[in-house]
Structure formats: structure tokens, C-alpha cells
Amino acid sequence: MNPVTKEQIESLKKELSVTVVAHYYQKDEVFEVADITGDSLELAKKAKDSDSEWILFCGVGFMGQSVKILAPQKRVAMPKIACCAMARMIDSTYFDASVEAMEKAGIPKEEILPITYINSGAEVKAKVGKMGGAVCTSSSAVKIIQKALKQGKKILFVPDRCLGQNVARMMKLKSAVIGIDNSEALKGADIVCYNGFCSVHQLFTLKDVEFFRKRYPDIKIVVHPECDPAVCEVADFVGSTSQIIKYVQSLPLEQKVAVGTEYNLVHRLREKNTFVLSSTKPECPTMNETTLEDVYSTLQAIKKGEVINEILVDEDTIHWAKVALERMFEYLEG
Ligand code: 13P
Ligand code: SF4
């Protein structure tokens, strides 16, 4: 069979009025056929506001799910239902166990306000919504936690320990981790973190920073807040994928940069003086599952009415997960 071409995809897209959405970590061939690109916050906003009935989401499961939750009238399909490994580190049972661990440490449930990183499943978002909490993304975490803390409660931050600890450090707050720190530490913390992490972003280490700084003393170190707090602390810039792109592209081309985030984003970032902040290729396995062939076959399935990989979420879960997602937008607007 001949390989699928971008032209074939473009003509099917027009015929069907489907909006193709892609995260920056997608393969180049997929990224290039997208109508909407961005970080998680931008993708959720732009996809829910698009006027087509169908969204074809090229990314990981929680991203497509977030669009379905925010705009349940839309039909969302994914060329591959690829799940973010960090999002899979927590489910509703582990969420409940985290609340219980805080209660056992002497923190009453009424004093706990959960915030979930958008990298989590719909059930976890729904639990958070029911408890009065909100969703945040890497670009909005500081603002969401600032707003949330005004309620005078202790934050339970799930599932990314590093993002929780990085926000605490930036805001000069105390953090502790369930399963690692003792009851006293949990009680004394402003932000209590679940012990989840992104294995891709754990690849960027202090040793890598030292290596690049030694080789190029003027280099800028730029990382995503899913990286280890020790790495974020010594970096020149920490931001979401969109913020990283904006920052690096604002630098003179002669300025060397070493970037700590997924390979596909870094390699298309800039024509020279740009390094991956690791000697190991930092590829997100699930983000890389989607191919141009998958995009084409999913579009053809939509055309034939035999839809594959449609995102479906039950009504009750949609209701409460939407409460948590919309609270994020309210906090950001207010
Ligand atoms: P952004 O919201 O910064 O795009 O991050 C998504 C992600 O999964 C990073 O690993
Ligand atoms: Fe999930 Fe990490 Fe992949 Fe981002 S890079 S989608 S957090 S596994």
C-alpha cells in the first residue's frame, strides 16, 4: 500500500468538516496536518470553541477526554487511544486512599481542597470537582493554586509530585509527599502531593545541566515543570510547552539553549544552537504512537459512519469533571 499523503488528509478533512488537533509532542507528519496546536490549556480551550461537530485529537487520552467533557455535544475521536503514563498512575481508588492518608495524618476532610493536573482521567477529575476542587495545567498551576489557597484549606495535588513541588517552591510554600513524608510533614505542608511523575521528564538530571553548563558556560537551560524540582531550581526558564517555545524563539539565534522536554518539540524548535538536555532520547512513547496512517483511517471511518476510537464518558462523570475543568477557567478569568 502507498503511504498516506498530507494532501489526502487535507481533502478528507475539508469534505467531512473535522477539526484536527495535535499536541506539540506528536510526530512531525501528524503535527503538520493539524488545524489546532498548543499546550494542554490552549488545546482544551480552542478545541471546545471550534465550530466543527467532529474533533480528531492527536495526543494522549486525557486531552481528548477533556474536550469531550467541556463540549459533550461534540464527537471526539482519537487516531490512537494512547494513554499518558503519568495519568495512569492515579485512579479514583488511589485518589480516595490519598484523602484517607491525609485524614490519618490528622487533616480533616473538610480542610482538604484537591487540585488535579489535567494529566489525569475523567474519574479523578470528577472526584476533584465533587470535593470543590479544580483542574490545572502546567501553564496555569501557580495561578490556580494561588486562587485555591484563598479558601484557607490544605491542597491535595495529584498526580504529578514534581509539578506540585515546583509550584510550592515558586510560591515559597511548604510541600510534602504522601507515602514518603511522615504525618507531621503532611500536616505542616501547604501542598500535599501524590507521588506520581512523568518518566520522560525524569530523564533530565542535574548532571545533564552540569554537563551543558561546563561545555557552554553561557547556555540557557529551559525545562518543563514536570522535571525534578532540583533541575527546575537551577534552570533559566521553566514553563509549559507553549511557554518554552515562545521563550526559546524570542532568544537570538546565536544563544545556545538546552531544552528539557519531549524530543519532537525540541527537534523542531529552532534551526541551530538547540540541544536536548539529555544523552537519552526523551521520547514520550504514547504520544509517538499516532501515525499519519492512523489519522487517515480514523477520518475514513468517520466518513463511512463506522467510527473507531470515539471518546465516550458517562453523564455523571462528565458533569463533575466539567465542574473541575470549568473552575480552572473561572479561576483564570477572575
Ligand atoms: P503542556 O500542557 O505544557 O503542553 O504539557 C503536557 C504534557 O503532557 C507535558 O508532558
Ligand atoms: Fe504524559 Fe509524560 Fe507523555 Fe506528557 S510526556 S504525555 S506527562 S507521559
Side-chain angles (χ1 to χ4, degrees), residues 66-82:
S66 297
V67 180
K68 183 69 189 172
I69 293 164
L70 285 164
Q73 75 287 0
K74 283 194 186 299
R75 298 190 67 185
V76 182
M78 298 188 73
K80 277 270 164 69
I81 308 257

Side-chain angles (χ1 to χ4, degrees), residues 25 60 62 84-86 119 198-201 226 262 284 286-287:
Y25 294 169
V60 282
F62 75 82
C84 161
M86 183 212 286
N119 297 37
C198 167
S199 50
V200 179
H201 287 86
E226 288 172 13
E262 212 273 344
C284 173
T286 44
M287 280 281 188

